[in-house]
């Protein structure tokens, strides 16, 4: 406060009717410092008591308005980015000693509130943020000493929850045409994941199945009547994987591959495929059995034969190809029945007039013998001997094949089929047996 020149003594400062303090006049100026003034309008006056030459005086009031302090509000996240359903804690700080509450907002949506601690911190936790980017702010409501204030926005990124998927199979190896079941298990946090799982053979989709109601087990049965174009695995080695499609809250995932082997086999005739025998003779064939899709047979292979002549006996060596065996040669030993007989026939292509020659010769011989018997007394001895010789020779020649008569063997051809059976699979190979 400035006073006129020559005024001495002290100056009393007042806030309305409240004395704030006094200060001496030095060089016409009196100064006082107060720690604080009440919030609002404060009418401040200065007065002197006067001296020997000056009367008491009071200055006009000077209104000093005191407003609340605007605090600095900060905001941090316990996890950013976070996953859906993951609990995130937001912490806001205000000046130490401030009181009141802090409200946490996602955009304009109130998430919740936390009380300011003695240290000036307020917290709020939530696990309900959806996938995406959220603009989070902390709004301090103020107190007697501090005004309301809002933090700078915090971009909270929420991603899909990670998942894992494990693929198993009912059997790692099966025969061609057998059914194999693949099962995929999806593991994730709460809530329950939804969506579907696709099963692939390399890059080819075999089929797709939805997640079951408990969200963990998915089953897909691969069989011949599953209705998919690739429903039957072909012979050989297959690399199977399962891929989870994900949903609004859960990320996609792919299983580690499993190897599935489909086995088959072949049967072929090796060596001579056509054997010629006489009734009662023995012969043999060799059949080669080769596993396909693997180096060994998955289960035992039994052999059967069809097409042999009646009465023929046979054996296979070995009788059965055991499981675990590799490529195997099987010998079929055959013994034809001695009761098989040749047939009597006239060779094809023989002229019809020659076919009657044996009969005619036989008849002439018989006539000659009859003539000798009837006229033997009138014939010279040499002529009778000659006629007897011819009469006997001609029928014999007719019967033995001379002069156009025949007895010939008729070869009979048989298709001999050997069939191997492994489980539900059968394969055959055919050889030829000629019985002379």
């Amino acid at each position: 406060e400035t006073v006129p020149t020559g005024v001495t003594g002290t100056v009393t400062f007042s806030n309305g009717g409240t004395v704030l303090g006094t200060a001496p006049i030095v060089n016409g100026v009196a100064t006082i410092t107060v720690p604080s003034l009440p919030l609002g309008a404060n009418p401040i006056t200065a007065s002197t008591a006067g001296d020997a030459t000056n009367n008491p005086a009071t200055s006009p009031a000077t209104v000093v308005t005191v407003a609340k302090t605007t605090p600095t509000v900060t905001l941090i996240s316990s996890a950013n980015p976070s996953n859906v359903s993951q609990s995130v804690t937001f912490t806001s700080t205000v000046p130490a000693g401030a009181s009141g509450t802090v409200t946490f907002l996602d955009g304009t949506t109130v998430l919740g509130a936390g009380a300011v601690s003695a240290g000036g911190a307020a917290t709020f936790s939530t696990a309900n943020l959806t996938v995406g980017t959220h603009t989070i702010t902390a709004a301090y409501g103020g107190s007697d000493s501090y005004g309301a204030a809002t933090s700078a926005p915090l971009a909270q990124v929420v991603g899909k929850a990670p998942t894992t998927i494990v693929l198993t199979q009912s059997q790692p190896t099966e025969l061609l045409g057998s059914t194999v079941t693949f099962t995929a298990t999806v593991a994730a946090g709460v809530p329950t994941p939804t969506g579907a799982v696709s099963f692939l053979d390399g890059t080819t989709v075999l089929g797709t199945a939805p997640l079951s109601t408990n969200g963990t087990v998915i089953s897909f049965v691969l069989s011949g009547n599953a209705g998919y174009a690739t429903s039957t695995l072909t012979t050989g080695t297959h690399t199977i994987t399962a891929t989870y499609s994900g949903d609004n809250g859960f990320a996609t995932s792919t299983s580690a591959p499993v190897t599935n082997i489909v086995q088959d086999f072949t049967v072929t005739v090796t060596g001579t495929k056509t054997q010629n025998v006489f009734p009662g003779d023995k012969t043999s064939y060799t059949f080669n059995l080769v596993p396909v899709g693997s180096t060994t047979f998955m289960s035992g292979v039994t052999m059967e034969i069809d097409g042999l002549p009646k009465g023929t006996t046979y054996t296979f060596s070995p009788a059965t190809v055991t499981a675990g065996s590799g490529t195997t040669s099987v010998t079929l030993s055959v013994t034809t029945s001695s009761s098989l007989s040749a047939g009597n026939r006239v060779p094809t292509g023989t002229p019809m007039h020659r076919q009657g020659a044996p009969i005619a010769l036989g008849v002439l011989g018989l006539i000659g013998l009859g003539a000798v018997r009837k006229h033997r007394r009138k014939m010279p001895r040499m002529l009778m001997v000659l006629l007897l010789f011819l009469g006997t020779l001609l029928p014999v020649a007719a019967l033995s094949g001379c002069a156009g008569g025949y007895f010939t063997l008729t070869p009979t051809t048989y298709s001999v089929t050997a069939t191997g059976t492994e489980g539900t699979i059968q394969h055959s190979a055919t050889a030829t047996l000629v019985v002379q």
Side-chain angles (χ1 to χ4, degrees):
E1 175 69 25
T2 303
V3 297
T5 304
V7 176
T8 60
T10 61
V11 175
T12 300
F13 294 89
S14 300
N15 181 6
T18 303
V19 174
L20 298 177
T22 61
I25 299 171
V26 179
N27 297 325
V29 176
T31 302
I32 189 175
T33 301
V34 295
S36 64
L37 292 173
L39 293 174
N42 296 276
I44 307 301
T45 59
S47 62
T48 62
D51 55 20
T53 58
N54 295 290
N55 293 320
T58 301
S59 70
T62 298
V63 178
V64 177
T65 301
V66 177
K68 292 182 179 181
T69 301
T70 301
T72 299
V73 181
T74 64
L75 176 64
I76 60 173
S77 168
S78 62
N80 192 13
S82 62
N83 296 322
V84 69
S85 302
Q86 178 182 352
S87 180
V88 179
T89 299
F90 297 105
T91 300
S92 175
T93 59
V94 295
S99 60
T101 59
V102 174
T103 302
F104 297 85
L105 300 96
D106 179 3
T108 59
T109 301
V110 175
L111 298 176
V116 177
S117 67
T123 61
F124 173 76
S125 299
T126 181
N128 297 324
L129 296 178
T130 57
V131 173
T133 301
H134 299 262
T135 302
I136 308 298
T137 55
Y140 173 57
S143 64
D144 292 341
S145 302
Y146 292 94
T150 301
S151 70
L154 169 69
Q156 177 69 38
V157 178
V158 180
K160 293 184 178 182
T163 61
T164 59
I165 180 170
V166 177
L167 176 64
T168 59
Q169 56 186 336
S170 58
Q171 53 195 15
T173 305
E174 70 273 0
L175 294 175
L176 181 66
S178 299
T179 299
V180 57
T181 301
F182 297 105
T183 301
T185 301
V186 176
V190 294
T192 301
T194 60
V197 170
S198 294
F199 296 83
L200 297 92
D201 180 3
T203 59
T204 301
V205 176
L206 298 174
T208 300
L211 281 168
S212 60
T213 55
N214 63 11
T216 58
V217 178
I218 314 94
S219 294
F220 171 73
V221 177
L222 180 64
S223 62
N225 59 359
Y228 293 94
T230 56
S231 59
T232 301
L233 293 179
T234 57
T235 302
T237 300
H238 301 265
T239 301
I240 309 299
T241 55
T243 299
Y244 170 54
S245 64
D247 60 13
N248 292 334
F250 292 93
T252 62
S253 57
T254 300
S255 72
V258 298
T259 299
N260 185 269
I261 300 174
V262 179
Q263 292 191 1
D264 197 1
F265 71 97
T266 60
V267 179
T268 56
V269 183
T270 60
T272 303
K273 294 184 179 181
T274 301
Q275 301 285 6
N276 291 270
V277 296
F278 287 96
D281 281 353
K282 298 180 179 180
T283 190
S284 64
Y285 301 91
T286 300
F287 296 90
N288 205 37
L289 276 67
V290 181
V292 179
S294 180
T295 57
T296 58
F297 288 96
M298 180 177 175
S299 56
V301 181
T302 58
M303 299 295 294
E304 295 181 352
I305 196 69
D306 185 55
L308 290 173
K310 183 178 181 181
T312 300
T313 60
Y314 68 91
T315 59
F316 282 109
S317 180
T320 301
V321 180
T322 58
S325 301
T327 299
T328 304
S329 292
V330 177
T331 300
L332 170 64
S333 299
V334 174
T335 302
T336 58
S337 173
S338 59
S339 64
L340 296 173
S341 60
N344 182 18
R345 68 179 179 86
V346 177
T348 58
T350 303
M352 291 302 295
H353 68 278
R354 293 190 60 191
Q355 294 179 15
I359 299 174
L361 289 175
V363 172
L364 289 176
L366 293 175
I367 293 174
L369 291 175
V372 170
R373 181 179 180 184
K374 183 177 180 180
H375 302 288
R376 63 181 182 274
R377 298 181 179 276
K378 300 178 181 181
M379 289 183 183
R381 184 177 182 82
M382 289 300 296
L383 179 60
M384 184 178 65
V385 171
L386 179 61
L387 290 175
L388 287 172
F389 176 77
L390 291 175
T392 303
L393 180 61
L394 289 176
V396 172
L399 294 173
S400 64
C402 298
Y406 293 89
F407 267 126
T408 63
L409 295 176
T410 303
T412 303
T413 301
Y414 298 88
S415 292
V416 180
T417 301
T419 300
T421 301
E422 182 184 15
T424 58
I425 304 174
Q426 288 187 332
H427 293 293
S428 301
T430 301
T432 301
L433 177 66
V434 180
V435 181
Q436 298 291 348

